[in-house]
């Protein structure tokens, strides 16, 4: 079995998938799976994924609220954006998929 900082190759992860899923669901222990040196994914429980999404939405809402407040104080000009990516980049947010 791996420690939380190790990454498993796809073949090894496949052979341990049931154990890795149980570890993610019941122990909230993520597993990094690598396909190559640049392609990596993390197996986490659905509950942990939902928590990650909730935290991301809170971050987004906070950044938007701060931008609105800054505009109201006169510290930020009103902006228009050509794309969602440009808006997220301006607010220093990760671009949603």
């Amino acid at each position: 079995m791996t420690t939380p900082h190790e990454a498993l190759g796809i073949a090894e992860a496949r052979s341990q998938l049931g154990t890795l899923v149980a570890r993610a669901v019941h122990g909230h222990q993520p597993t990094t799976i690598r396909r190559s040196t640049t392609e990596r994914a993390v197996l986490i429980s659905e509950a942990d994924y939902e928590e990650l999404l909730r935290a991301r939405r809170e971050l987004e809402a906070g950044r938007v609220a701060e931008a609105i407040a800054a505009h109201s104080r006169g510290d930020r000009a009103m902006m228009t954006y050509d794309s969602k990516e440009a808006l997220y980049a301006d607010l220093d947010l990760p671009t949603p998929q």
Side-chain angles (χ1 to χ4, degrees):
M1 203 50 63
T2 63
T3 66
H5 301 289
E6 291 180 55
L8 295 176
I10 287 179
E12 187 177 358
R14 185 179 298 123
S15 72
Q16 298 180 36
L17 188 57
T19 301
L20 297 175
V21 169
R23 208 169 73 167
V25 171
H26 301 293
H28 296 277
Q29 297 176 349
T31 300
T32 301
I33 302 170
R34 65 177 150 54
R35 181 173 174 182
S36 67
T37 56
T38 59
E39 292 182 305
R40 299 164 72 94
V42 178
L43 176 66
I44 60 174
S45 71
E46 185 175 21
D48 290 342
Y49 179 68
E50 291 297 327
E51 177 65 18
L52 178 65
L53 291 178
R54 185 196 60 73
R56 184 177 187 166
R57 285 189 300 270
E58 286 181 5
L59 173 66
E60 291 172 355
R63 296 263 174 90
V64 169
E66 176 50 37
I68 292 168
H71 173 69
S72 295
R73 292 189 307 268
D75 296 338
R76 182 182 177 98
M78 180 62 74
M79 301 290 295
T80 58
Y81 300 95
D82 295 331
S83 67
K84 182 179 4 177
E85 291 78 16
L87 166 64
Y88 276 69
D90 186 45
L91 295 177
D92 195 29
L93 292 167
T95 304
Q97 301 303 321

